[in-house]
């Protein structure tokens, strides 16, 4: 019994190590998803007037600024490997830390994928389907830049408003060196491949769910 209590206590401590970070980063990842629902799904895009209202563009700018927070969560896998290096017992890693990070990473990534799917739905409904793929590539590029600024330069989405000069200077300096450009390019490739795979799975699940609702075999 003491062994079980000790194991549970250690598991709780492991969960708590990254608990605050996971809660905060998950909150930031959910923001662009919620904004995408308001922007692209709240009303029938075919009936929405164009050009859009100033409020719509303000929310859209916030959506772009916060979007990188969703795929940024994937980089938090480094904290999982930090736990591994700390010599946490294998059973705790398998049954506690691994499920925690698996759920955490998947929630953040799905927020990113669903946000772009909502944007694609909006374009499709307005008969602008030809722009879906370019939109996705631009989103991957902007997200890769945001991930670099957040992970390596420790900048946050709100710095675009609170300190735009510093963000601009850091971005210009980063894009003038080979290493940051390489890191951003690799990130774009990773986001593009992972997004395409996840998109196919999500759309397949939606299609299957629709078939089940219609009673199809």
């Amino acid at each position: 019994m003491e062994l079980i209590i000790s194991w549970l206590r250690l598991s709780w401590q492991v969960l708590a190590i990254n608990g605050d970070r996971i809660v905060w980063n998950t909150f930031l990842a959910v923001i662009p998803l919620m904004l995408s629902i308001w922007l692209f799904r709240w009303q029938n895009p075919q009936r929405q007037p164009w050009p859009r209202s100033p409020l719509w563009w303000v929310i859209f700018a916030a959506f772009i600024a916060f979007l990188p927070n969703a795929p940024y969560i994937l980089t938090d896998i480094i904290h999982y490997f930090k736990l591994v290096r700390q010599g946490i017992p294998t059973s705790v890693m398998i049954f506690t830390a691994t499920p925690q990070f698996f759920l955490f990473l998947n929630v953040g990534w799905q927020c990113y994928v669903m946000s772009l799917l909502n944007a694609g739905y909006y374009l499709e409904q307005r008969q602008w389907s030809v722009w879906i793929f370019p939109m996705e590539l631009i989103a991957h590029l902007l997200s890769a830049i945001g991930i670099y600024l957040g992970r390596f330069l420790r900048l946050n989405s709100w710095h675009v408003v609170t300190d735009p000069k510093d963000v601009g200077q850091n971005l210009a300096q980063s894009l003038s060196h080979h290493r940051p450009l390489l890191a951003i390019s690799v990130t774009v490739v990773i986001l593009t491949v992972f997004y395409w795979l996840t998109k196919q799975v999500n759309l397949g699940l939606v299609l299957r769910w629709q078939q089940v609702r219609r009673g199809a075999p």
Side-chain angles (χ1 to χ4, degrees):
M1 187 64 181
E2 291 183 1
L3 183 61
I4 295 177
I5 294 176
S6 177
W7 188 91
L8 292 174
R9 183 181 296 113
L10 179 58
S11 295
W12 177 255
Q13 292 173 352
V14 169
L15 288 175
I17 290 175
N18 294 292
D20 292 342
R21 179 186 297 105
I22 286 176
V23 171
W24 175 245
N25 286 348
T26 300
F27 169 74
L28 293 178
V30 171
I31 289 178
L33 176 59
M34 295 296 101
L35 294 179
S36 75
I37 293 173
W38 189 90
L39 289 166
F40 310 125
R41 293 272 190 173
W42 194 259
Q43 300 176 2
N44 187 340
Q46 295 176 320
R47 298 179 180 178
Q48 293 177 346
W50 190 267
R52 303 309 312 278
S53 66
L55 175 62
W56 191 93
W57 287 107
V58 170
I59 301 299
F60 180 76
F63 168 73
I64 296 298
F66 279 92
L67 183 62
N69 289 297
Y72 174 88
I73 282 180
L74 296 180
T75 67
D76 277 344
I77 191 65
I78 63 174
H79 299 291
Y80 177 85
F81 293 113
K82 286 181 179 179
L83 289 177
V84 173
R85 291 196 296 269
Q86 290 177 12
I88 304 296
T90 303
S91 62
V92 175
M93 290 300 301
I94 293 175
F95 295 106
T96 302
T98 299
Q100 180 190 39
F101 274 87
F102 179 81
L103 179 61
F104 172 48
L105 299 180
N106 272 277
V107 168
W109 181 246
Q110 284 294 341
C111 285
Y112 180 67
V113 173
M114 294 304 298
S115 295
L116 295 189
L117 288 178
N118 287 338
Y121 171 82
Y122 180 86
L123 294 175
E124 184 178 10
Q125 292 299 306
R126 297 195 71 93
Q127 308 301 318
W128 296 340
S129 298
V130 68
W131 292 104
I132 292 178
F133 183 65
M135 175 275 296
E136 293 171 343
L137 288 181
I138 293 172
H140 298 331
L141 175 60
L142 294 178
S143 294
I145 293 173
I147 290 171
Y148 178 83
L149 294 177
R151 175 54 64 188
F152 296 101
L153 303 184
R154 310 310 298 169
L155 296 176
N156 293 302
S157 299
W158 48 86
H159 286 143
V160 174
V161 176
T162 60
D163 198 356
K165 183 178 179 180
D166 183 53
V167 173
Q169 290 176 344
N170 278 284
L171 181 59
Q173 185 177 8
S174 298
L175 296 180
S176 63
H177 292 82
H178 295 298
R179 285 190 175 182
L181 284 176
L182 178 60
I184 291 172
S185 299
V186 171
T187 304
V188 169
V189 173
I190 293 174
L191 292 179
T192 301
V193 173
F194 280 14
Y195 172 79
W196 185 86
L197 293 173
T198 310
K199 178 180 179 179
Q200 305 313 307
V201 173
N202 285 10
L203 293 179
L205 291 174
V206 170
L207 179 61
R208 181 55 183 166
W209 179 72
Q210 291 175 343
Q211 291 175 341
V212 170
R213 288 193 61 188
R214 292 195 301 265

